[in-house]
């Protein structure tokens, strides 16, 4: 198991940027596939982006293509989500997730480790 702690959320105006971080505990972080999801009030949790254990394989939802970038630093046990050109519809709680595997995964039930989430609010 790995413990995940997200940070970097906040309030930003439309068009602005935020960078989310997810710090993981444990010495085997580099063996985990990582993902970012988000959940807006009254909606189901949805996939945002995923990255393989090595960082070589990336996958993003169509809604964030060209705006969001996922990356990881295995030396720091951290995965990042750089969010640019933010829109009010990006407002949600953002969650980091981990799976002890080497692929990229986009479904909620494919992950078995979750952080507590960080709130992102984009004002118009």
């Amino acid at each position: 198991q790995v413990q995940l702690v997200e940070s970097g959320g906040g309030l930003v105006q439309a068009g602005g940027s935020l960078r989310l971080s997810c710090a993981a505990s444990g010495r085997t972080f580099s063996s985990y596939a990582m993902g970012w999801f988000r959940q807006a009030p009254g909606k189901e949790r949805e996939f945002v982006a995923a990255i393989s254990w090595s960082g070589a394989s990336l996958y993003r939802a169509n809604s964030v293509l060209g705006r969001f970038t996922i990356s990881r630093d295995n030396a720091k046990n951290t995965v990042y989500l750089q969010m640019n050109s933010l829109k009010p519809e990006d407002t949600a709680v953002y969650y980091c997730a981990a799976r002890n595997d080497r692929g990229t995964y986009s479904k909620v039930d494919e992950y078995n480790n979750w952080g507590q989430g960080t709130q992102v609010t984009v004002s118009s």
Side-chain angles (χ1 to χ4, degrees), residues 29-30 32-34 51-55 71-74 78-80:
F29 174 74
S30 61
Y32 281 77
M34 301 297 295
I51 188 167
S52 62
W53 68 279
S54 66
S71 62
R72 68 189 295 160
D73 185 339
N74 286 342
T78 302
V79 63
Y80 305 98

Side-chain angles (χ1 to χ4, degrees), residues 74-89:
N74 286 342
K76 295 183 178 180
N77 281 14
T78 302
V79 63
Y80 305 98
L81 185 68
Q82 178 67 44
M83 306 186 295
N84 299 328
S85 302
L86 283 160
K87 304 175 182 179
E89 51 263 44

Side-chain angles (χ1 to χ4, degrees), residues 6-28:
E6 302 96 335
S7 62
L11 173 64
V12 64
Q13 289 188 332
S17 298
L18 284 173
R19 187 175 81 155
L20 305 184
S21 299
C22 173
S25 66
R27 294 175 291 177
T28 60

Side-chain angles (χ1 to χ4, degrees), residues 4 6 20 22 35-40 45-46 48-49 81 92-97 114-118:
L4 304 173
E6 302 96 335
L20 305 184
C22 173
W36 285 98
F37 291 76
R38 65 187 181 187
Q39 189 166 18
R45 194 167 297 190
E46 66 173 6
V48 176
L81 185 68
V93 177
Y94 282 70
Y95 296 90
C96 175
W114 292 87
Q116 294 301 306
T118 184

